[in-house]
Amino acid sequence: MRNLLVRISFIGTRYGGFQVQENAPTVCGELNRALLAILKHPAEIKGVSRTDAGVHARDFAFSFRTNNPIPEEGLVRALTALLPADMGVHSCTEVPEDFHARYSCTGKEYAYRFFPSKERDPFLEPFVYRYGGALDVAAMDAAAAHFVGTHDFSAFRAAGSSTQGSVRTVFRAGVTWEGGLVVFRVAGNGFLYNMVRIMAGTLLEIGAGRRTADSIDAALKQGRRTLAGPTAPAKGLCLEQCFYEKKGG
């Protein structure tokens, strides 16, 4: 039995997230359909992350097992031919028997993109959160450093989340200008449900002058969701990288 790791990218706009749902198209649903046609048997797909509805990915990984002898490059070509235009397939690699796309992952990097403009740019709109006010990017970058380290991120996850455990390690976090966009980048060993979007919403309020960086420390220490900022819209979020190295990138 072969265990294969596939790396893909996708625009999440029309999908209800990664996991299969009855009432919405999903990334996994498209992959299931394509792999069934290629392999001639259902594949049990293990994704690196569930991703929220509307979230994008430049580097998403999934693994599955098959006895089909199709070459790795052949699988990439076949998936590319069968998947919709808002999904891309980049590589396929045979991995050890005990490899699991989610549990073998040592870290992920996300980017959240703000577009500080009162005018809508239709070429950016699906991928950014447009904010019409001024943003203090230096203050946002300094505040983002408060996330770095091992913390209990209870205040930065969606209320009612069923995820077991809330302690995560953030390797790096920062906010910079990138081609006219304000981009929050964060890498860590794992993220709670809506965690990056809440971090982004908190930083937005700091950049807009509505809260201070000290509020991040208070939220981390007290663990109350009400002490963190709002959940930023999904469309500004993108999974940039999945790490499988020992140090998580």
Side-chain angles (χ1 to χ4, degrees), residues 4 38 47 53 58 64 67 82 84 91 97 117 129 149 171 189 200 203:
L4 299 178
I38 296 166
R58 292 182 186 273
F64 67 95
N67 282 319
L82 291 172
S91 67
E97 178 71 18
S117 174
Y129 174 39
F171 307 136
N189 67 351
L203 291 174

Side-chain angles (χ1 to χ4, degrees), residues 139-140 142-144 146-147 156 202-219 227-229:
M140 294 171 72
H146 291 241
F147 292 124
F156 294 88
T202 303
L203 291 174
L204 177 67
E205 291 202 328
I206 290 170
R210 294 196 292 270
R211 68 167 59 227
T212 65
D214 291 341
S215 65
I216 293 178
D217 294 329
L227 295 178

